[in-house]
Amino acid sequence: MDQEDRIALFLDYENLALGAREHLGGMVFDLRPIADALAERGRVVVRRAYADWSYFDEDRRMLTRSHVELIEMPQRMGISRKNAADIKMAVDAVELAFERSYVSTFVICTGDSDFTPLVQKLRELNKRVIGVGVEKSTSKLLPPACDEFLYYDRLEGVEAPSVAPRNGTRRRAQVPSPEPVKQAPEPPPVVEEPTAEEPARDADSLAVLVAQTVAGLENSSSGAVTASTLKRTLLRKDPTFSESDYGFRAFGELLRHLADRNVVELTEGPAKGDPDVSLPEHGDREVAFGLLRSVVQDLSADGGAAALSGLKNQLRRSRPDFSEKKLGYRSFLQFCKAAATSGVVDLEWSSDADDYLLTVPAA
């Protein structure tokens, strides 16, 4: 555990919440995708969010359930309120950098370029800085200043509506309509029940969870992913995770089961009983690439091209159990880009179609 990064998470919440609602089709900001991404990078030991919480009542409940400390910035006039929150967040971050030497990584969640000096100062203090922001509301000056920058809308688990509402987004984000409020007593029982059943304990959900986590660890670290590292990361994502819920007596037995199914590959690690875990380079991935090529070829038989939208459903008609996530890809687009890199298909953006188009390369 001493080798793990200790992470401090700071959220400029107004910037994130309004950025998500205005640029991601009115969607409500969710902390879970950020928490999962950070779980692959280390232990989050500090969580703080800054806002005037009278504007974010539902969000406050979500953050409280995630054990985030809410820093209240009372309502003031116009931009002075926003500046007060920014200054408070910057002062707290620098203070923490001096008082908690064991905190090695600071995660600054905002798209505001005003935080660039804070990022630079933290790096001067020998701290690693990861930025997080909504892509369309993030200043171009901020990402280059960070050691790593994650766009919220690209994180696993963030699925924005394809068409964003053009009118009234800000009004809906800040002033809830009275009709939904009156209906609030009825939806909770309907919504709460599926939420409790979400962690489905089945082989497919297990394969997806492990493959995604191994892929994230491989991307965020230069070394091999050991079984012990993988287990710690799974527990960060879901503290209730237990291999016994899936019918396995030990975590090693679970990994051997997934290796037999070609979900992961196991090789001898640095310590006995702690093998290295990686994603297969061939096997199911090549089969999936072949399926993609076959479907694209059928759809573009008349000399046209297959659009990315709806293509995944076409693949599932041929192979109902298809899932790019089982192969370690975080989205279907990432899977198609990997296929294009391997020369299986050609992938190009079309402004006319407002979509990616896929074709089979000429022989």
Side-chain angles (χ1 to χ4, degrees), residues 177-193:
S177 171
E179 289 76 16
V181 173
K182 291 180 180 179
Q183 298 175 359
E186 294 183 16
V190 179
V191 174
E192 293 287 344
E193 291 178 4

Side-chain angles (χ1 to χ4, degrees), residues 223-242:
V225 179
T226 62
S228 57
T229 300
L230 175 60
K231 177 67 179 288
R232 285 197 300 268
T233 305
L234 291 171
L235 286 170
R236 290 196 200 104
K237 287 187 172 184
D238 179 8
T240 68
F241 173 84
S242 173

Side-chain angles (χ1 to χ4, degrees), residues 241-300:
F241 173 84
S242 173
E243 57 273 9
S244 62
D245 289 338
Y246 298 91
F248 299 100
R249 295 167 296 180
F251 190 63
E253 183 181 347
L254 180 153
L255 290 179
R256 288 191 293 273
H257 168 77
L258 293 179
D260 290 341
R261 294 184 58 196
N262 206 34
V263 175
V264 297
E265 288 183 350
L266 302 178
T267 55
E268 186 176 352
K272 185 178 180 180
D274 191 15
D276 289 339
V277 187
S278 60
L279 295 177
E281 290 297 326
H282 301 290
D284 284 354
R285 189 187 71 166
E286 302 307 319
V287 173
F289 281 175
L291 175 64
L292 175 65
R293 180 187 177 93
S294 174
V295 172
V296 170
Q297 194 166 30
D298 290 343
L299 293 175
S300 57

Side-chain angles (χ1 to χ4, degrees), residues 38-361:
L38 297 184
E40 296 165 355
R41 290 162 171 79
R43 289 179 61 211
V44 180
V45 296
V46 175
R47 300 176 178 87
R48 295 179 186 173
Y50 298 74
D52 182 343
W53 297 107
S54 62
Y55 285 95
F56 303 100
D57 193 46
E58 291 298 323
D59 307 60
R60 179 172 57 187
R61 294 186 180 93
M62 176 270 296
L63 292 169
T64 301
R65 287 194 295 268
S66 299
H67 309 288
V68 176
E69 180 184 0
L70 307 182
I71 308 300
E72 177 72 40
M73 300 306 300
Q75 171 69 44
R76 293 190 177 88
M77 295 298 294
I79 196 170
S80 64
R81 174 177 58 84
K82 182 67 172 69
N83 287 343
D86 293 354
I87 293 170
K88 172 66 173 170
M89 181 168 148
V91 170
D92 285 357
V94 173
E95 182 179 46
L96 188 72
F98 281 104
E99 290 185 347
R100 304 287 188 269
S101 59
Y102 57 80
V103 176
S104 56
T105 301
F106 283 73
V107 180
I108 308 299
C109 297
T110 183
D112 193 343
S113 62
D114 289 348
F115 284 98
T116 304
L118 169 63
V119 171
Q120 294 171 338
K121 178 56 64 177
L122 289 172
R123 295 185 70 185
E124 285 179 19
L125 295 172
N126 197 30
K127 305 297 183 182
R128 184 167 184 260
V129 181
I130 301 174
V132 182
V134 177
E135 187 167 6
K136 290 186 179 178
S137 63
T138 296
S139 167
K140 294 183 179 179
L141 298 176
L142 187 60
C146 302
D147 293 294
E148 182 181 5
F149 198 92
L150 306 174
Y151 286 114
Y152 174 75
D153 19 337
R154 299 183 188 178
L155 295 178
E156 172 64 26
V158 178
E159 297 183 4
S162 56
V163 179
R166 296 180 179 274
N167 298 316
T169 302
R170 181 180 294 271
R171 189 181 302 112
R172 287 194 297 274
Q174 295 184 356
V175 184
S177 171
E179 289 76 16
V181 173
K182 291 180 180 179
Q183 298 175 359
E186 294 183 16
V190 179
V191 174
E192 293 287 344
E193 291 178 4
T195 302
E197 295 175 3
E198 270 185 356
R201 308 300 187 181
D202 57 70
D204 285 342
S205 66
L206 175 64
V208 169
L209 176 64
V210 172
Q212 287 180 344
T213 304
V214 172
L217 289 170
E218 287 182 339
N219 290 334
S220 61
S221 63
S222 55
V225 179
T226 62
S228 57
T229 300
L230 175 60
K231 177 67 179 288
R232 285 197 300 268
T233 305
L234 291 171
L235 286 170
R236 290 196 200 104
K237 287 187 172 184
D238 179 8
T240 68
F241 173 84
S242 173
E243 57 273 9
S244 62
D245 289 338
Y246 298 91
F248 299 100
R249 295 167 296 180
F251 190 63
E253 183 181 347
L254 180 153
L255 290 179
R256 288 191 293 273
H257 168 77
L258 293 179
D260 290 341
R261 294 184 58 196
N262 206 34
V263 175
V264 297
E265 288 183 350
L266 302 178
T267 55
E268 186 176 352
K272 185 178 180 180
D274 191 15
D276 289 339
V277 187
S278 60
L279 295 177
E281 290 297 326
H282 301 290
D284 284 354
R285 189 187 71 166
E286 302 307 319
V287 173
F289 281 175
L291 175 64
L292 175 65
R293 180 187 177 93
S294 174
V295 172
V296 170
Q297 194 166 30
D298 290 343
L299 293 175
S300 57
D302 57 355
L308 181 69
S309 300
L311 183 58
K312 184 174 179 178
N313 291 333
Q314 296 291 333
L315 266 67
R316 283 182 167 170
R317 289 180 182 176
S318 300
R319 184 176 169 183
D321 64 339
F322 170 80
S323 171
E324 74 281 356
K325 292 180 173 60
K326 290 182 184 179
L327 304 172
Y329 297 103
R330 294 182 177 270
S331 68
F332 185 64
L333 175 59
Q334 186 187 34
F335 167 74
C336 291
K337 286 181 176 179
T341 301
S342 300
V344 175
V345 294
D346 288 332
L347 177 70
E348 291 185 1
W349 173 260
S350 170
S351 299
D352 294 336
D354 195 26
D355 199 355
Y356 284 98
L357 298 181
L358 293 86
T359 55
V360 174

